[in-house]
């Protein structure tokens, strides 16, 4: 039993026998591979071009969270008012977290059930440490959670999870011709290719690049399942990486992969 923000929770552990499908059932899975780019403004953008919105009421709850946070900061330290505001703040925090969590669960279930292969990015550990902005932290926490959920749900539903290399420049690469824009900043919401002229929503472009990672090598990875997937996927991605890219990503403080993605 636990208590969070004034609410009590009781947890149970149960053992469930679950049939793990031997191979993806093609009947249900017309989707093929899908690339997923997690966002802040939207929950995710898929390589299919579909934008998955944040849960209903999420934005409103976030505004209330900001207001409550300011009210708490303004209150007098040690006062009864401050204690009350801290309690209010905690309650809203939990509600916002629950809403996002719920949205992520719906997303991952849908992805694992309707696609052969789901491609996500690796967690931006470096970017997370460096960037203290709340929005980025939320997105990174979401990414870790999405990966965790997809890892077991793809096993449940017989699909495959592929995790892209951490330094794979999904946001900076043109999904049409492969041209790279090394100076792409986080504030540029549209990707404009200076080589082939492609103009596309930044997140959609990134999602398509993730999709390309497996689309080119699907016959090889089709039967890959379980623990060896990560290794195989990473190997493929590493192979595609151009010389020097990893170094540039690791040392380029101004525009590291973690912040620009
Ligand atoms: Zn291009």
């Amino acid at each position: 039993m636990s208590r969070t923000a004034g609410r009590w929770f009781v947890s149970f552990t149960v053992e469930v026998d679950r049939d793990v499908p031997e191979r993806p059932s093609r009947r249900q899975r017309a989707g093929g591979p899908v690339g997923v780019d997690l966002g802040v403004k939207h929950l995710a953008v898929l390589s299919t071009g579909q934008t998955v919105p944040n849960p209903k009421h999420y934005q409103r709850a976030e505004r209330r969270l900001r207001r409550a946070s300011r009210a708490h900061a303004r209150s007098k330290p040690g006062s009864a008012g401050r204690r009350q505001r801290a309690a209010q703040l905690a309650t809203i925090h939990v509600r916002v977290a629950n809403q996002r969590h719920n949205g992520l669960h719906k997303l991952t279930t849908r992805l694992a059930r309707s696609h052969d292969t789901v491609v996500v990015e690796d967690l931006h550990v470096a970017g997370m440490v460096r960037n203290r902005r709340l929005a980025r932290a939320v997105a990174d926490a979401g990414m870790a959670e999405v990966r965790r959920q997809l890892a077991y749900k793809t096993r449940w539903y017989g699909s495959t999870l592929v995790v892209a290399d951490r330094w794979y420049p999904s946001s900076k690469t043109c999904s049409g011709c492969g041209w790279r824009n090394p100076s792409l900043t986080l504030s540029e919401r549209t990707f404009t290719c200076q080589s082939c002229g492609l103009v596309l929503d930044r997140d959609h472009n990134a999602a398509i690049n993730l999709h390309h990672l497996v689309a080119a090598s699907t016959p090889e990875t089709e039967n890959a399942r379980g623990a060896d997937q990560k290794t195989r996927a990473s190997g493929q991605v590493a192979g595609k990486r151009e010389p020097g890219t990893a170094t540039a990503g690791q040392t380029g403080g101004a525009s590291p992969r973690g912040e620009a993605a």
Side-chain angles (χ1 to χ4, degrees), residues 173-180 191-198:
T173 305
C174 173
S175 58
C177 71
W179 176 80
R180 274 185 201 170
F191 185 92
T192 307
C193 181
Q194 284 167 34
S195 178
C196 74
L198 178 90

Side-chain angles (χ1 to χ4, degrees), residues 6 29 36-37 54 57 68 102 123 141 157 173 180 183 192 218 232 241 244 261:
R29 228 182 302 276
V36 185
D37 189 82
N54 274 313
H57 312 306
N102 192 31
L123 182 61
Y157 300 118
T173 305
R180 274 185 201 170
S183 56
T192 307
T218 302
R232 280 214 213 179
R241 201 162 54 194

Side-chain angles (χ1 to χ4, degrees), residues 1-245:
M1 286 173 68
S2 61
R3 190 171 177 236
T4 305
R7 284 193 187 189
W8 287 96
F9 294 87
V10 183
S11 328
F12 300 90
T13 301
V14 288
E15 265 186 39
V16 178
D17 284 326
R18 183 182 278 269
D19 289 331
V20 175
E22 271 306 307
R23 58 182 61 202
S25 91
R26 300 278 166 188
R27 189 164 40 85
Q28 268 197 319
R29 228 182 302 276
V34 65
V36 185
D37 189 82
L38 275 211
V40 176
K41 215 172 114 201
H42 309 291
L43 197 61
V45 177
L46 311 183
S47 56
T48 57
Q50 202 202 346
T51 299
V52 184
N54 274 313
K56 235 176 156 185
H57 312 306
Y58 180 75
Q59 246 85 28
R60 207 174 60 194
E62 254 199 332
R63 271 199 300 278
R64 273 168 52 197
L65 180 62
R66 278 197 291 274
R67 253 199 321 268
S69 176
R70 280 197 299 271
H72 174 254
R74 277 196 305 267
S75 59
K76 195 171 156 235
S79 66
R82 190 179 184 84
R83 273 196 300 281
Q84 198 186 345
R85 293 210 167 92
Q88 280 167 354
L89 183 59
T91 305
I92 301 172
H93 251 300
V94 169
R95 193 176 306 146
V96 168
N98 285 348
Q99 280 176 357
R100 191 167 168 94
H101 201 76
N102 192 31
L104 292 180
H105 262 297
K106 283 184 180 151
L107 171 68
T108 54
T109 298
R110 206 186 84 197
L111 290 172
R113 289 178 76 150
S114 50
H115 292 276
D116 303 315
T117 312
V118 186
V119 193
V120 295
E121 288 182 282
D122 203 347
L123 182 61
H124 310 133
V125 179
M128 214 160 85
V129 175
R130 207 168 8 236
N131 197 326
R132 271 163 288 172
R133 285 173 57 204
L134 175 71
R136 193 65 228 174
V138 167
D140 284 327
M143 193 75 244
E145 180 59 17
V146 159
R147 271 189 56 185
R148 191 188 70 79
Q149 292 176 11
L150 281 174
Y152 68 80
K153 287 184 187 180
T154 48
R155 220 173 304 132
W156 281 1
Y157 300 118
S159 47
T160 304
L161 172 67
V162 171
V163 180
D165 182 277
R166 180 167 307 165
W167 307 110
Y168 175 65
S170 59
S171 296
K172 295 179 176 182
T173 305
C174 173
S175 58
C177 71
W179 176 80
R180 274 185 201 170
N181 178 4
S183 56
L184 185 82
T185 62
L186 199 58
S187 58
E188 290 174 58
R189 297 314 304 164
T190 304
F191 185 92
T192 307
C193 181
Q194 284 167 34
S195 178
C196 74
L198 178 90
V199 178
L200 195 60
D201 170 74
R202 172 209 183 88
D203 300 332
H204 186 194
N205 181 61
I208 293 176
N209 280 323
L210 289 171
H211 170 263
H212 282 174
L213 279 180
V214 293
S217 56
T218 302
E220 239 180 279
T221 49
E222 204 163 34
N223 299 319
R225 286 242 271 282
D228 63 324
Q229 272 164 228
K230 171 90 198 302
T231 328
R232 280 214 213 179
S234 303
Q236 283 159 7
V237 179
K240 287 187 181 190
R241 201 162 54 194
E242 281 166 19
T245 312

